[in-house]
Amino acid sequence: MDVINDNRYDPGSSQTNTLDTKGKVLRVFVSVGKIVLLLGFLYMFICSLDILSSAFQLVGGKTAGDIFQDNSVLSNPLAGLVIGVLVTLLVQSSSTSSSIVVSMVSSGLLTVQVAVPIIMGTNIGTSVTNTLVATTQAGDRSTFRRAFAGATVHDFFNWLSVLVLLPLEVATGYLYEVTKLIIDSFKIESGEAPALLNVITDPLTESIIQLDQSVISGIATGDPEARNKSLILKWCQTFTNTTLMNVTVPGPENCTSPTLCWVDGNYTFTLKNISETYNVQKCTHLFVNVNLPDLAVGLILLTLSLLVLCSCLVLIVKLLNSMLKGQVAAVIKKILNTDFPFPFGWVTGYIAILVGAAMTFIVQSSSVFTSAITPLVGIGVISIERAYPLSLGSNIGTTTTAILAAMASPGDTLANALQIALVHFLFNITGIVLWYPIPFTRIPIRLAKGLGSITAKYRWFAAVYIICCFFVIPLFVFSLSLAGWQVLVGVGVPILVLLIIILIINMLQKRKPSCLPAALRSWDFLPLWARSLAPWDKVVGVITAKCCCCCKCCQAASDDQEHGVQESAEKNKKAHTAVYDNPAMSADKEVEDEIKIELKILKMTRL
């Protein structure tokens, strides 16, 4: 019996046992090399996101400042929400858009109540980054299904939270009143925000480009000199000298003080502090001496950063796929996705929220963290059920960074700056209370899985989703809000009621069709284009076929045919994995061999 146990086949160690010493050493070196490469690509990925944010600020930063300058528009809560979304999309950084809002409140141009909807909008705008990252994995349908669902679960959480909390804030001032109570109750002293990951990434990113963040804030606060300044930072070290000097003023009423005012004939003199700034040390980044407009530099950086970002993402995914396979992947997947034993299973999700918050606090960007876990969701290492609390934690983590940054504000503006940061924090905490504790309320997961399945079948729908949710719908709502409350209610309410009715009918069709009239038990009475994406898919296919060259079209058709063969083979397989699990982690090799044989036959017949 002992001999039988000793000779038992172990798939995880059989290959290792057959290797000699040289082979084992080579395997160790290869594994270490892969880990080093993975860390290097991850570092470049994070730096490219930072450069991407700078590029968007160069392209649309001054426009963002102009948008924030129209205070009459910002007083409308819906317009403020949409402006928060659009500005964050323009600068690709919720931290930048939030800092603009803080500076406007500190200067008295905005009240905290008006700034609350804008902060909600920045929360939505920052979630587009990981959605865009997910579209780079559209090559494989299964990977794309998981990746897009894992990315959009963050979007759905933000949108659903806004749909509940914005009307509540307008009606009761919940976020403003609670945060004001916190500010008034505690004596908070000024502090300094930590640098953390920026210490590692700044040497590379600052050698490429450095921006003068005060220019956007200056445009937003109405500084006429800021409009003519470049966003590209030229002088990294300056010295400001303030001197009390005699200056002429138009009249005695312009004097700094009645005791410091002298009249000599037609001239009036007073004492005033005059500040002069001297340039000490020039910056050393690549674009410091380039005589190009901000838009041109921004487009150059945008192109290069997107190229680096996509390349790093593809390489990261390939490295992870080569490292995380077989028993290694099964073990890692089990560790990441397994809950604590009963009765403490519910604690696992909250620990994931804390992990997401801590990791986001370290990298100081929710976009970086959620974009980094999106490929892991795509290859099936992290389940969507686990990615959801991690994304919720990232929302909290990015607000804690904002709180620390606000605590670094001067004493006279500390209260308002900190209150806005607390509004952002309370908004996300309330959203978690609404959409996480009870499993039934985790609606974003179900919506994201449904959208992931649709986009896997019709991959062009991912672009439609991004354009509609982040551009078309916000601009439509913004246009209605500019026309006045009467137009907004007259157009928006019927559309909202119609959507609610459709949603209720869909739920009844699935659960209790007997409650509906016979005509409404299905949508068959509608034309096919109004109830299915298949006709639109044909239209998109025709347009794509006309735009592509013949060989590319043939290659795409063959890929679809190969996918059909692979799907038919998978249907014959015993279905023991979920739709959102990674099929590459299955131990069943026979079906894979059959698929490979069928694909080879298909390619030979095609030739």
Side-chain angles (χ1 to χ4, degrees):
M1 191 70 179
D2 293 334
V3 174
I4 295 174
N5 287 337
D6 290 338
N7 293 331
R8 184 179 297 168
Y9 173 69
D10 185 357
S13 60
S14 61
Q15 191 174 0
T16 305
N17 293 335
T18 58
L19 292 175
D20 56 6
T21 304
K22 183 179 178 180
K24 291 179 181 179
V25 171
L26 181 62
R27 170 171 288 187
V28 171
F29 273 107
V30 170
S31 300
V32 172
K34 286 183 178 181
I35 293 173
V36 172
L37 281 175
L38 182 64
L39 293 175
F41 289 139
L42 185 60
Y43 176 77
M44 294 298 296
F45 176 75
I46 294 172
C47 290
S48 65
L49 282 174
D50 195 355
I51 298 296
L52 183 67
S53 175
S54 299
F56 273 110
Q57 290 179 56
L58 285 169
V59 172
K62 291 187 177 181
T63 305
D66 288 331
I67 292 173
F68 271 128
Q69 197 174 1
D70 194 347
N71 298 333
S72 60
V73 175
L74 294 175
S75 60
N76 185 328
L78 278 175
L81 173 74
V82 174
I83 284 174
V85 175
L86 295 177
V87 168
T88 308
L89 289 174
L90 282 174
V91 300
Q92 278 296 288
S93 171
S94 59
S95 300
T96 300
S97 51
S98 299
S99 65
I100 298 173
V101 177
V102 170
S103 63
M104 294 183 70
V105 173
S106 301
S107 61
L109 292 175
L110 283 181
T111 61
V112 177
Q113 295 97 318
V114 172
V116 170
I118 304 175
I119 292 296
M120 293 184 184
T122 63
N123 215 56
I124 293 174
T126 192
S127 63
V128 73
T129 307
N130 59 318
T131 308
L132 290 172
V133 168
T135 59
T136 62
Q137 298 183 266
D140 180 76
R141 291 181 187 270
S142 297
T143 301
F144 187 43
R145 178 192 295 116
R146 292 188 295 268
F148 203 78
T152 52
V153 73
H154 195 193
D155 304 347
F156 284 119
F157 169 78
N158 288 329
W159 280 110
L160 289 173
S161 298
V162 166
L163 286 176
V164 174
L165 293 178
L166 182 62
L168 180 66
E169 178 65 22
V170 172
T172 64
Y174 157 68
L175 295 173
Y176 171 77
E177 295 296 339
V178 173
T179 53
K180 188 174 186 303
L181 182 64
I182 295 172
I183 295 295
D184 294 341
S185 301
F186 296 95
K187 185 179 180 181
I188 302 170
E189 298 180 356
S190 180
E192 185 177 356
L196 299 178
L197 190 71
N198 290 346
V199 175
I200 305 173
T201 58
D202 280 352
L204 178 59
T205 56
E206 290 184 357
S207 67
I208 298 173
I209 189 68
Q210 287 180 264
L211 301 185
D212 188 354
Q213 300 290 349
S214 63
V215 174
I216 302 176
S217 300
I219 294 174
T221 52
D223 184 4
E225 296 181 359
R227 188 172 297 279
N228 298 322
K229 290 182 179 178
S230 172
L231 274 167
I232 301 173
L233 191 64
K234 301 289 185 183
W235 298 92
C236 289
Q237 187 177 350
T238 58
F239 171 72
T240 302
N241 183 34
T242 304
T243 309
L244 190 64
M245 298 176 61
N246 284 330
V247 294
T248 58
V249 290
E253 65 277 3
N254 301 108
C255 292
T256 55
S257 172
T259 57
L260 300 175
C261 194
W262 302 274
V263 178
D264 184 8
N266 295 329
Y267 296 97
T268 303
F269 299 91
T270 188
L271 286 175
K272 184 179 288 187
N273 287 324
I274 303 297
S275 297
E276 291 187 62
T277 302
Y278 301 94
N279 297 322
V280 178
Q281 183 179 356
K282 205 168 189 179
C283 298
T284 58
H285 58 83
L286 292 177
F287 293 92
V288 67
N289 294 317
V290 175
N291 294 321
L292 290 174
D294 289 357
L295 179 61
V297 175
L299 291 175
I300 292 171
L301 288 175
L302 184 65
T303 304
L304 294 177
S305 60
L306 282 174
L307 180 63
V308 173
L309 186 145
C310 294
S311 301
C312 288
L313 185 64
V314 170
L315 292 170
I316 286 171
V317 171
K318 288 189 177 298
L319 270 175
L320 287 173
N321 274 322
S322 67
M323 295 168 65
L324 304 179
K325 60 183 179 181
Q327 283 195 336
V328 176
V331 170
I332 293 176
K333 183 182 178 185
K334 186 176 181 180
I335 292 173
L336 291 175
N337 300 313
T338 302
D339 293 335
F340 285 114
F342 181 83
F344 302 106
W346 59 274
V347 180
T348 312
Y350 295 97
I351 292 178
I353 291 175
L354 294 177
V355 170
M359 293 300 296
T360 306
F361 180 76
I362 292 172
V363 301
Q364 291 195 314
S365 173
S366 60
S367 298
V368 169
F369 177 70
T370 54
S371 299
I373 67 172
T374 296
L376 296 176
V377 178
I379 64 175
V381 173
I382 298 178
S383 66
I384 296 174
E385 287 77 11
R386 185 65 74 242
Y388 179 52
L390 288 172
S391 298
L392 301 187
S394 73
N395 275 0
I396 297 176
T398 193
T399 58
T400 55
T401 305
I403 291 172
L404 289 173
M407 291 181 69
S409 302
D412 55 340
T413 62
L414 176 62
N416 287 336
L418 192 56
Q419 186 174 356
I420 293 174
L422 286 175
V423 163
H424 199 182
F425 178 77
L426 184 61
F427 169 79
N428 285 300
I429 289 293
T430 308
I432 291 173
V433 172
L434 287 173
W435 308 114
Y436 187 75
I438 306 173
F440 174 76
T441 61
R442 296 172 190 174
I443 301 174
I445 295 178
R446 296 195 291 273
L447 294 176
K449 283 188 174 183
L451 182 61
S453 299
I454 293 173
T455 52
K457 188 175 182 181
Y458 309 105
R459 283 179 277 196
W460 53 267
F461 191 75
V464 174
Y465 165 79
I466 293 173
I467 293 171
C468 288
C469 279
F470 293 102
F471 294 98
V472 175
I473 294 176
L475 286 172
F476 177 68
V477 174
F478 183 65
S479 303
L480 292 179
S481 61
L482 287 180
W485 281 104
Q486 295 83 357
V487 176
L488 180 63
V489 173
V491 177
V493 170
I495 294 175
L496 187 61
V497 170
L498 180 62
L499 290 175
I500 293 173
I501 292 173
I502 293 173
L503 183 63
I504 293 173
I505 292 175
N506 272 329
M507 292 176 64
L508 291 175
Q509 283 176 349
K510 292 179 180 179
R511 298 184 179 182
K512 291 188 177 181
S514 58
C515 298
L516 293 171
L520 290 177
R521 291 177 183 176
S522 70
W523 298 110
D524 292 341
F525 63 91
L526 294 174
L528 186 61
W529 60 266
R531 54 186 169 87
S532 173
L533 291 175
W536 298 103
D537 188 54
K538 292 180 181 178
V539 173
V540 173
V542 170
I543 295 173
T544 305
K546 288 183 178 180
C547 295
C548 296
C549 63
C550 182
C551 66
K552 286 186 178 180
C553 292
C554 293
Q555 183 63 35
S558 66
D559 288 342
D560 289 338
Q561 192 173 0
E562 290 174 6
H563 176 70
V565 173
Q566 186 173 354
E567 279 189 341
S568 63
E570 286 179 353
K571 285 179 181 178
N572 296 329
K573 177 181 171 181
K574 214 168 187 180
H576 58 78
T577 56
V579 176
Y580 284 85
D581 286 340
N582 189 349
M585 296 179 182
S586 176
D588 192 354
K589 299 295 182 183
E590 295 179 1
V591 176
E592 293 180 2
D593 293 335
E594 292 176 5
I595 293 172
K596 289 179 181 178
I597 293 170
E598 290 182 4
L599 291 178
K600 286 181 181 178
I601 295 171
L602 178 64
K603 289 179 180 178
M604 291 174 64
T605 55
R606 196 175 70 229
L607 292 173

